[in-house]
Amino acid sequence: MAKPPITNRLLDVMGTNANLGVGVMCAIALFKGILRPIFALQDKKSSPETRKYTAMREGLTEVAALPMYATLPFACSWIAGKIFKGHNKLENIKGVTKFGALGLATFMVPVVCNKIQPPIMAAYKRHEDAKKTQLAKVNTQPLPNTAFKANYGMKVGG
Amino acid sequence: MGALNSIGNFIGKDKVAKFAAGTAGTVYVMTGIKAVGRPYFIYTDKNTDKATKKYAATSEFLYQLICLGVTLAMIPFFKTGGLKLAEKYLKQNPESAKILENVSKTNIYSRSKAFDNEFSKVKEGFKEVVNGNKKGKLPTTDFEKAMAKGHGAIEAGSFIGSIIGLTLLAPPLSHKIVHPIMKALGMSKEEKPAEIKSLNKTV
């Protein structure tokens, strides 16, 4: 049997799926995680260092947000399912719990970021500083002196 | 057990569940939470000075407000645009074709809402079925299936509209708007990091 066209299947899924809220938040986080660092890197008004730093922070924020949006609502909905087992409005309860957990995740993203970002950004800054110091050292080292080299080896006609 | 049942009845109200299941409602509420929550966390950060906190919190609040405005303005159009995707399927069934015809008489901004109201009535008649790996209240008749497709098209529209609005339109728009607003409020970027300014002078 031939498969129905993709629009048909997509509309079927979108019309009957109960996880669209979670899906849209994950999709937004994913697209933000890709696009916001690109926007930050293209900001001509900032210095290249600031651009890189901002892009990395923006990316990290969405890296923290995405798993929270994807897991917390389902975990809370599963717990609600256990608590209200047998309730005649169980599907509604699970849906609303998912929505509430999504709200909680949205509210908590900055807290999680405050915990995970400083050590990562500090490590990144240390790495950048070390790179700069190394570069500065290389630049200040004297160039090899050819006359000095001539003092080695067998001297002819000296 | 009685208390638990009452809590369940309170949480599981049909109207609340309908709002919570929708894409657009979720995006509106989550953006609202961001508009309140993010500035709050910036303001309570103990490691930053007051002027910087005030600047960052205001600019974040304005950014989220712009996001909310963009989403509120755009989504209804995307929803109506999405409904067009399902027209072909809705016209195949006389009942759903009639609903589509009635709904099409309303203006472009409220068309999707009018269709969703009709869909809610139809959804009440969905029966509990097991269909492959799908289980729950699903559309069974051709009319119900067509209506579910229409609803799916609206959801797809708000899904795409939210992503475009929040990730592609709002950031450049806020980049253009936030700075002048901040200036008008007497908070210019140059004045923000007072301690950095003084450091620059000493270096």
Side-chain angles (χ1 to χ4, degrees):
Chain A
M1 204 176 88
K3 271 189 175 179
I6 191 154
T7 340
N8 193 348
R9 275 182 284 152
L10 176 80
L11 299 188
D12 272 342
V13 172
M14 297 294 273
T16 51
N17 201 304
N19 302 321
L20 291 175
V22 178
V24 76
M25 288 308 283
C26 288
I28 289 169
L30 183 71
F31 277 88
K32 270 188 179 176
I34 298 165
L35 293 170
R36 281 184 81 160
I38 295 174
F39 282 134
L41 285 171
Q42 282 176 338
D43 183 12
K44 299 239 162 46
K45 283 178 190 164
S46 320
S47 69
E49 268 183 38
T50 317
R51 269 186 251 169
K52 260 205 279 183
Y53 187 86
T54 316
M56 202 171 153
R57 230 190 44 197
E58 298 275 17
L60 271 177
T61 305
E62 302 309 329
V63 165
L66 191 57
M68 281 178 74
Y69 291 149
T71 56
L72 200 64
F74 291 109
C76 291
S77 153
W78 182 79
I79 294 168
K82 295 277 169 209
I83 296 171
F84 295 100
K85 202 175 177 182
H87 197 285
N88 57 349
K89 295 269 181 192
L90 188 62
E91 282 310 308
N92 281 2
I93 294 169
K94 281 166 94 173
V96 175
T97 314
K98 231 178 262 171
F99 181 79
L102 205 55
L104 184 72
T106 310
F107 190 71
M108 294 308 283
V109 166
V111 181
V112 176
C113 284
N114 277 350
K115 291 269 177 247
I116 65 159
Q117 270 182 358
I120 299 172
M121 294 317 286
Y124 170 73
K125 208 168 177 294
R126 268 202 305 275
H127 172 73
E128 288 293 301
D129 287 347
K131 237 167 57 179
K132 254 190 250 165
T133 346
Q134 216 172 18
L135 206 70
K137 257 187 196 169
V138 170
N139 287 339
T140 50
Q141 259 175 10
L143 287 168
N145 193 335
T146 43
F148 179 71
K149 267 186 183 171
N151 288 332
Y152 288 99
M154 194 176 68
K155 284 176 187 172
V156 180
Chain B
M1 198 64 203
L4 202 64
N5 215 23
S6 316
I7 296 168
N9 287 339
F10 181 73
I11 304 171
K13 273 182 186 160
D14 286 337
K15 268 194 174 175
V16 185
K18 189 189 158 196
F19 180 81
T23 312
T26 308
V27 175
Y28 298 150
V29 172
M30 299 311 148
T31 314
I33 290 174
K34 281 181 193 175
V36 180
R38 303 226 161 146
Y40 167 77
F41 282 116
I42 293 171
Y43 227 83
T44 49
D45 183 7
K46 288 193 180 85
N47 300 318
T48 322
D49 71 287
K50 214 176 166 186
T52 312
K53 275 197 287 192
K54 200 175 166 189
Y55 180 88
T58 315
S59 108
E60 182 66 30
F61 175 70
L62 286 172
Y63 172 71
Q64 297 298 345
L65 217 59
I66 290 166
C67 285
L68 191 62
V70 167
T71 327
L72 280 170
M74 274 178 56
I75 285 187
F77 295 104
F78 272 85
K79 278 178 157 183
T80 306
L83 190 59
K84 280 213 171 296
L85 272 178
E87 270 184 6
K88 187 176 107 186
Y89 304 104
L90 288 165
K91 279 176 183 168
Q92 282 169 4
N93 182 279
E95 281 175 274
S96 58
K98 202 177 172 194
I99 288 175
L100 180 70
E101 202 188 315
N102 288 338
V103 161
S104 299
K105 285 173 193 158
T106 55
N107 66 52
I108 195 165
Y109 203 77
S110 51
R111 199 170 297 166
S112 59
K113 202 177 174 195
F115 184 88
D116 263 346
N117 286 340
E118 293 292 334
F119 174 71
S120 299
K121 288 176 207 160
V122 177
K123 202 184 172 186
E124 281 167 20
F126 281 10
K127 287 175 189 73
E128 196 80 37
V129 284
V130 181
N131 183 5
N133 54 0
K134 276 185 175 178
K135 204 180 111 187
K137 284 188 171 175
L138 294 168
T140 44
T141 63
D142 282 347
F143 167 58
E144 286 175 352
K145 281 180 186 169
M147 288 301 281
K149 276 196 178 71
H151 174 69
I154 290 171
E155 290 296 332
S158 43
F159 206 94
I160 294 165
S162 313
I163 294 171
I164 293 176
L166 291 178
T167 65
L168 283 169
L169 291 180
L173 192 72
S174 75
H175 202 72
K176 292 249 183 288
I177 299 176
V178 169
H179 194 54
I181 297 177
M182 298 289 285
K183 226 174 179 179
L185 290 173
M187 286 187 271
S188 95
K189 205 173 184 179
E190 288 74 34
E191 285 165 24
K192 175 200 58 162
E195 76 290 335
I196 295 176
K197 241 168 112 182
S198 60
L199 270 175
N200 284 343
K201 273 179 195 169
T202 52
V203 171

